[in-house]
Amino acid sequence: MPIAITRGISPRFADCELTHQIRVPIDLLQAEREHAAYADALRGLGLQVIELPASTELPDCVFVEDAAVALPECAVITRPGAASRRPETEAVATALKPWRALLHIEAPGTLDGGDVLVLGKRILVGAGGRSNAEGIAQLGRLLAPWHYSVEAVPLRGCLHLKSAVTRVGEDTLLLNPEWVDAALFAGWRCIAVDPTEPDAANALLTGDRLVYARHHVRTRERLQDASMEPVLVDAGEVAKAEGAVTCCSIICDTA
Ligand code: CIR
């Protein structure tokens, strides 16, 4: 059974990092309800959810995706670009240890898991924001033994590469062409987000099912037009913290 590592909402969630959004009040109770429903949705899709306790010190701890990149052969523990988020990796590394050999990004490299898009053996990493050239180069060296290619991708206007593009099917991507160059994805079927929903490109693919934020109504219609029927979750509170559905879990296939 595949596992999903998640982590609870910090009581200090309202102090989260923000880069492209203005701060608006976060409803902690609603955030917790949405997070519990997200875990239920993952369980409903056959995942075993391993929920780490929230940290009272780390406002962004719910966004576990940024702390590690899990691949079939290993997991790379990151060094997040925001200094406030670096201590988040410790609990995630402890949780991943039984499941994967651990490798580490070291200073001065920085890498956020949200910047790492894995397309088979081709890995694209959003550059210039949270992930720096040194972190991306380290990732390439760490993964070379398994023949992964790692390439830096310029981003514009968004936090992470996976804010701009995610995989939604075997051969299909969902992307915002304003934020990432669609020409990078030759050979893929690309669905563009509705232009009124710029932050709608983040969907979580597990097996052949998609988890998707309920509030992206128009882009969801585009997915449905392409014969996809996502499992919908409320993600309005994490969106206020510049987060989305992929950010809140690390999925590992287990034998
Ligand atoms: C941050 O700025 O780091 C958090 N407030 C949001 C992180 C979202 N993570 C993700 O997209 N992978």
Side-chain angles (χ1 to χ4, degrees):
M1 181 188 268
I3 59 159
I5 294 171
T6 64
R7 192 166 185 184
I9 305 268
S10 172
R12 287 192 50 210
F13 194 30
D15 299 326
C16 63
E17 294 282 339
L18 287 176
T19 307
H20 297 277
Q21 292 181 202
I22 53 161
R23 201 169 293 279
V24 294
I26 292 181
D27 181 337
L28 257 192
L29 274 180
Q30 177 62 11
E32 282 166 1
R33 275 194 292 269
E34 291 180 1
H35 191 62
Y38 174 84
D40 285 344
L42 296 181
R43 286 188 201 96
L45 295 174
L47 292 147
Q48 178 194 345
V49 176
I50 300 175
E51 166 103 354
L52 310 180
S55 161
T56 52
E57 308 296 319
L58 302 171
D60 280 306
C61 69
V62 67
F63 299 123
V64 285
E65 171 181 59
D66 293 317
V69 178
L71 295 165
E73 302 88 351
C74 64
V76 178
I77 304 303
T78 67
R79 183 168 177 272
S84 72
R85 300 201 54 196
R86 292 194 186 134
E88 292 174 28
T89 56
E90 193 181 328
V92 170
T94 303
L96 277 167
K97 206 166 177 194
W99 307 96
R100 289 292 186 275
L102 301 185
L103 304 168
H104 296 266
I105 300 294
E106 308 286 355
T110 64
L111 190 83
D112 275 20
D115 273 324
V116 180
L117 178 68
V118 179
L119 302 176
K121 290 284 180 180
R122 181 185 183 210
I123 298 184
L124 295 90
V125 188
R130 296 285 176 82
S131 302
N132 67 14
E134 170 62 21
I136 298 169
Q138 285 184 30
L139 185 70
R141 288 196 293 274
L142 290 172
L143 298 182
W146 296 284
H147 309 291
Y148 286 96
S149 73
V150 172
E151 60 197 274
V153 171
L155 283 181
R156 29 172 200 262
C158 61
L159 180 61
H160 286 129
L161 180 60
K162 277 187 275 188
S163 319
V165 54
T166 53
R167 188 174 186 167
V168 292
E170 180 75 23
D171 61 353
T172 309
L173 303 174
L174 178 63
L175 61 78
N176 178 342
E178 299 290 320
W179 286 352
V180 68
D181 185 359
L184 288 163
F185 305 109
W188 288 84
R189 178 168 72 136
C190 291
I191 300 173
V193 296
D194 186 281
T196 63
E197 297 175 340
D199 56 348
N202 187 274
L204 175 64
L205 182 67
T206 171
D208 60 357
R209 297 305 308 276
L210 265 191
V211 178
Y212 195 59
R214 196 186 309 278
H215 57 275
H216 299 313
V217 175
R218 294 185 175 179
T219 304
R220 187 211 311 167
E221 283 171 11
R222 294 183 177 209
L223 293 171
Q224 288 165 331
D225 289 346
S227 302
M228 292 172 211
E229 201 48 68
V231 174
L232 299 178
V233 292
D234 291 316
E237 298 307 308
V238 289
K240 294 176 186 173
E242 231 167 314
V245 288
T246 65
C247 322
C248 299
S249 57
I250 299 169
I251 293 181
C252 286
D253 284 317
T254 52

